[in-house]
């Protein structure tokens, strides 16, 4: 029979089914596809002859007990209110291709699920809340979705059934396609994490306020300030993979010299994809004067012997925890006299900063300690007029130090960013907090206020520091920091 579309073909049937279900977009074929339609015979064939692939007896994910405790804390903070936390949707990269999906941090933190379109809903109950995870079920084989839809299983892979999801995440699961209509009918106070799912927000538009929703976002950000045992372990995994990624880079610096910074970027990315989910942020592979650009992610410049390579990169684990480590390496394996002078100043500043990280210390203490050391060196070198106290009071050292000395680290590289200032920057360090300590000195190539030999040199050293009961632990201690140790380490890797 003809393959031209008729009212009896699956295309029309899908449109009908979509209309009945209230769906806005039925399954459609790609414009200019080579097949104009689907025959009844093919549609019938595709419905049958498939094995049962349902997975049974699944083991809960490793963090299930931790995500349950996190949901309990959230429930206690907002009693009697419906709480809606979406994962987010796929984002178009161009035409009909999408960016790789990454679930919202709030959703992943509370569920451990990382798939698109998911939504966690906490419904108020007599005692606390009743949690439900709303997900897309497996692709429908009756209406052809599994092979006709661009997001069907034969195109993008199998997803878990709702029953499988309940076993994995320890949360009752329902079809997310039914959620917007249910939320429209919901009564009582509601809060939603905004910015991730427009359809969910539209369903709640007359029930929520920006102020109340912001309180929810802030609470979830502050909840992540102190990491639990599982999170600390994941951060260590991320750092360990990152250490191996740095070793990979050192081994191929000769190939980077023959090509560009892109070879360094690609080398580290391979490690991130093999051992983790992805890179945690755009890798900064800054050689020569590019090291003076704080977020140099173009990575298209030359790599030259005699220059420094500032490599700022981190592996993200499969549970979305990222490392954030920086080393500034001599491309040829040996620092010049001026490079070593600047590097050692940054190292001393970082030592002072790390020493200030301990329980009960003010969050700002490590920044102040590192900045003081850098300022002392700048005054000593005659680059800025002292005394040191005057320079610090006026912030004059910032011409060359530029940025803050660190930040919280976790599921976001700049984690807990929505936390209140009084609990973050003005807060006190507690065991379980994880932060970076990363002082730097950057002498721009066009800076006429410094001697010519300084110009174009940028140095940053960054480590991931976990606050412990009695001080701190450097998660990234596996990478050498002292200049002579860096040179010896590079020589050993190059054989």
């Amino acid at each position: 029979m003809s393959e031209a579309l008729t009212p009896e073909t699956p295309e029309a049937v899908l449109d009908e089914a979509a209309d009945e279900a209230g769906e806005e977009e039925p399954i459609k074929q790609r414009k200019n596809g080579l097949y104009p339609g689907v025959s009844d015979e093919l549609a019938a064939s595709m419905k049958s002859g498939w094995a049962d692939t349902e997975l049974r007896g699944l083991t809960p994910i490793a963090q299930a007990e931790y995500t349950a405790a996190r949901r309990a804390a959230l429930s206690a903070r907002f009693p009697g209110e419906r709480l809606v936390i979406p994962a987010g949707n796929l984002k178009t990269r161009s035409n009909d291709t999408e960016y790789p999906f990454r679930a919202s941090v709030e959703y992943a933190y509370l569920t451990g699920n990382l798939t698109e379109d998911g939504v966690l809903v906490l419904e108020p109950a007599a005692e606390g809340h009743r949690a439900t995870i709303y997900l897309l079920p497996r692709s429908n084989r009756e209406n052809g979705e599994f092979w006709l839809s661009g997001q069907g299983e034969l195109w993008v892979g199998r997803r878990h059934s709702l029953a499988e999801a309940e076993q994995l995440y320890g949360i009752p699961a329902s079809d997310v396609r039914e959620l917007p209509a249910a939320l429209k009918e919901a009564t009582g106070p509601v809060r939603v994490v905004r910015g991730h799912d427009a359809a969910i927000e539209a369903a709640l538009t007359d029930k929520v306020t920006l102020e109340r929703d912001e309180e929810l976002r802030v609470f979830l950000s502050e909840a992540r300030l102190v990491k639990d045992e599982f999170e600390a372990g994941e951060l260590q995994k991320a750092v360990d993979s990152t250490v191996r990624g740095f070793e990979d880079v050192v081994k191929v610096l000769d190939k980077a010299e023959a090509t560009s910074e892109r070879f360094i970027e690609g080398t580290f990315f391979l490690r991130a994809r093999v051992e983790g989910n992805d890179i945690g942020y755009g890798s900064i592979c800054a050689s020569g004067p590019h090291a003076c650009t704080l977020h140099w992610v173009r990575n298209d410049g030359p790599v030259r012997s005699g220059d420094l390579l500032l490599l700022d990169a981190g592996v993200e684990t499969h549970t979305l925890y990222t490392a954030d480590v920086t080393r500034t390496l001599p491309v040829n394996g040996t620092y010049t006299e001026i490079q070593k002078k600047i590097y050692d100043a940054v190292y001393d500043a970082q030592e002072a900063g790390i020493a200030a990280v301990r329980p009960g210390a003010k969050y700002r203490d490590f920044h102040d300690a590192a900045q003081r050391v850098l300022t002392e060196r700048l005054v000593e070198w005659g680059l800025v007029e002292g005394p040191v106290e005057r320079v610090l009071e006026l912030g004059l050292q910032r011409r060359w130090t530029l940025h803050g000395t660190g930040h919280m680290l976790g599921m976001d590289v700049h984690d807990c960013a929505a936390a209140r200032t009084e609990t973050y920057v003005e807060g006190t360090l507690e065991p379980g907090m994880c932060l970076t300590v990363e002082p730097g000195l950057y002498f721009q190539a066009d800076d006429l206020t410094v001697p010519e030999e300084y110009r174009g040199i940028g140095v940053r050293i960054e480590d991931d520091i976990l606050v412990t009961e009695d001080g701190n632990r450097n998660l990234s201690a596996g990478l050498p920091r002292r200049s002579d140790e860096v040179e010896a380490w590079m020589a050993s890797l190059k054989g």
Side-chain angles (χ1 to χ4, degrees):
M1 71 178 295
S2 168
E3 286 194 355
L5 290 177
T6 70
E8 290 75 37
T9 62
E11 192 83 9
V13 171
L14 291 174
D15 286 0
E16 246 178 71
D19 289 340
E20 290 175 6
E23 296 175 9
E24 294 182 3
E25 294 187 13
I27 300 170
K28 294 181 179 179
Q29 300 299 293
R30 180 185 286 125
K31 184 179 180 180
N32 293 319
L34 293 176
Y35 291 106
V38 178
S39 69
D40 291 342
E41 291 83 355
L42 176 58
S45 170
M46 293 299 287
K47 286 183 182 180
S48 61
W50 304 100
D52 177 13
T53 60
E54 182 73 9
L55 304 176
R56 298 172 179 86
L58 294 175
T59 302
I61 59 173
Q63 67 266 46
E65 63 178 288
Y66 297 96
T67 56
R70 297 166 195 167
R71 293 192 299 274
L74 176 60
S75 172
R77 172 61 179 82
F78 298 103
E81 302 185 53
R82 181 178 284 102
L83 308 174
V84 183
I85 301 94
N89 317 120
L90 289 171
K91 290 182 172 61
T92 299
R93 180 179 184 273
S94 180
N95 189 27
D96 58 354
T97 61
E98 293 87 17
Y99 288 104
F101 179 74
R102 190 184 190 278
S104 75
V105 166
E106 295 87 354
Y107 175 85
Y109 178 74
L110 293 167
T111 67
N113 176 260
L114 305 178
T115 56
E116 66 268 19
D117 301 325
V119 184
L120 173 68
V121 178
L122 270 62
E123 298 277 354
E127 294 184 9
H129 286 78
R130 181 178 64 257
T132 304
I133 188 170
Y134 289 86
L135 301 165
L136 285 171
R138 290 196 60 193
S139 295
N140 191 319
R141 291 180 182 266
E142 285 301 308
N143 71 0
E145 174 197 354
F146 80 110
W147 71 288
L148 290 173
S149 168
Q151 293 302 317
E153 290 184 5
L154 294 195
W155 289 93
V156 299
R158 183 188 188 278
R159 53 181 176 253
H160 286 297
S161 70
L162 298 181
E164 291 168 356
E166 291 186 356
Q167 297 173 65
L168 290 170
Y169 307 111
I171 313 171
S174 292
D175 190 337
V176 72
R177 294 173 297 188
E178 301 168 358
L179 183 59
L183 291 177
K184 286 181 181 178
E185 302 301 320
T187 58
V190 185
R191 298 177 191 257
V192 63
V193 175
R194 301 189 181 209
H196 301 299
D197 194 318
I200 294 300
E201 291 181 36
L204 295 170
T205 187
D206 59 341
K207 309 176 194 301
V208 295
T209 67
L210 182 60
E211 181 180 6
R212 287 164 50 79
D213 292 348
E214 182 63 11
E215 288 175 351
L216 172 60
R217 188 172 79 104
V218 168
F219 173 82
L220 290 173
S221 193
E222 293 183 359
R224 301 198 309 277
L225 283 168
V226 176
K227 271 59 181 178
D228 57 37
E229 183 181 13
F230 176 83
E231 292 179 289
E234 290 300 292
L235 285 166
Q236 186 65 70
K237 286 181 188 176
V239 170
D240 291 345
S241 290
T242 299
V243 168
R244 290 187 283 273
F246 274 67
E247 292 171 347
D248 295 339
V249 166
V250 171
K251 292 175 182 178
V252 299
L253 280 177
D254 58 333
K255 294 183 174 63
E257 286 188 65
T259 52
S260 76
E261 296 163 339
R262 290 282 169 91
F263 202 95
I264 295 167
E265 178 182 352
T267 298
F268 186 85
F269 180 70
L270 177 62
R271 178 67 64 174
R273 286 294 282 166
V274 168
E275 295 193 2
N277 176 58
D278 206 330
I279 50 174
Y281 54 95
S283 298
I284 299 168
C285 308
S287 182
H290 289 163
C292 298
T293 301
L294 298 184
H295 288 168
W296 177 261
V297 293
R298 300 179 200 172
N299 299 334
D300 58 359
V303 178
R304 299 188 178 99
S305 179
D307 282 347
L308 295 177
L309 167 68
L310 189 156
L311 178 58
D312 184 336
V315 172
E316 176 185 80
T317 67
H318 294 291
T319 56
L320 306 189
Y321 289 85
T322 185
D324 181 10
V325 178
T326 305
R327 290 294 184 268
T328 305
L329 312 172
V331 173
N332 63 11
T334 304
Y335 295 101
T336 66
E337 184 178 349
I338 184 64
Q339 290 169 352
K340 185 177 186 300
K341 173 182 174 180
I342 296 169
Y343 184 96
D344 288 348
V346 174
Y347 171 81
D348 290 344
Q350 194 200 29
E351 283 282 275
I354 292 174
V357 176
R358 58 183 179 273
K362 292 296 184 183
Y363 175 81
R364 286 182 175 274
D365 288 353
F366 77 96
H367 168 72
D368 293 341
Q371 287 290 301
R372 176 170 290 278
V373 172
L374 293 178
T375 302
E376 288 171 351
R377 297 302 173 84
L378 292 168
V379 171
E380 176 188 326
W381 298 340
L383 302 184
V384 63
E385 183 181 349
V388 168
E389 293 299 337
R390 166 186 170 272
V391 177
L392 288 169
E393 181 182 354
L394 298 176
L396 301 180
Q397 83 285 0
R398 292 180 62 186
R399 180 182 178 101
W400 303 285
T401 65
L402 293 177
H403 54 79
T405 309
H407 51 79
M408 290 295 182
L409 183 68
M411 298 181 88
D412 280 327
V413 65
H414 298 145
D415 207 29
C416 313
R420 293 168 295 171
T421 300
E422 57 265 33
T423 60
Y424 188 156
V425 174
E426 302 297 343
T428 301
L429 295 179
E430 302 176 37
M433 289 183 170
C434 188
L435 59 145
T436 67
V437 179
E438 49 176 311
L441 283 173
Y442 312 91
F443 299 102
Q444 305 300 325
D446 60 349
D447 188 349
L448 301 181
T449 69
V450 300
E452 187 174 356
E453 63 177 352
Y454 286 78
R455 297 174 198 165
I457 295 178
V459 174
R460 180 164 66 252
I461 312 172
E462 177 181 21
D463 285 86
D464 301 341
I465 309 298
L466 181 70
V467 183
T468 61
E469 294 289 344
D470 57 357
N472 69 66
R473 185 167 88 244
N474 185 348
L475 301 181
S476 44
L479 278 179
R481 292 187 296 126
R482 212 173 63 200
S483 56
D484 59 334
E485 293 175 343
V486 170
E487 291 176 339
W489 169 71
M490 293 182 69
S492 69
L493 288 173
K494 290 183 176 183

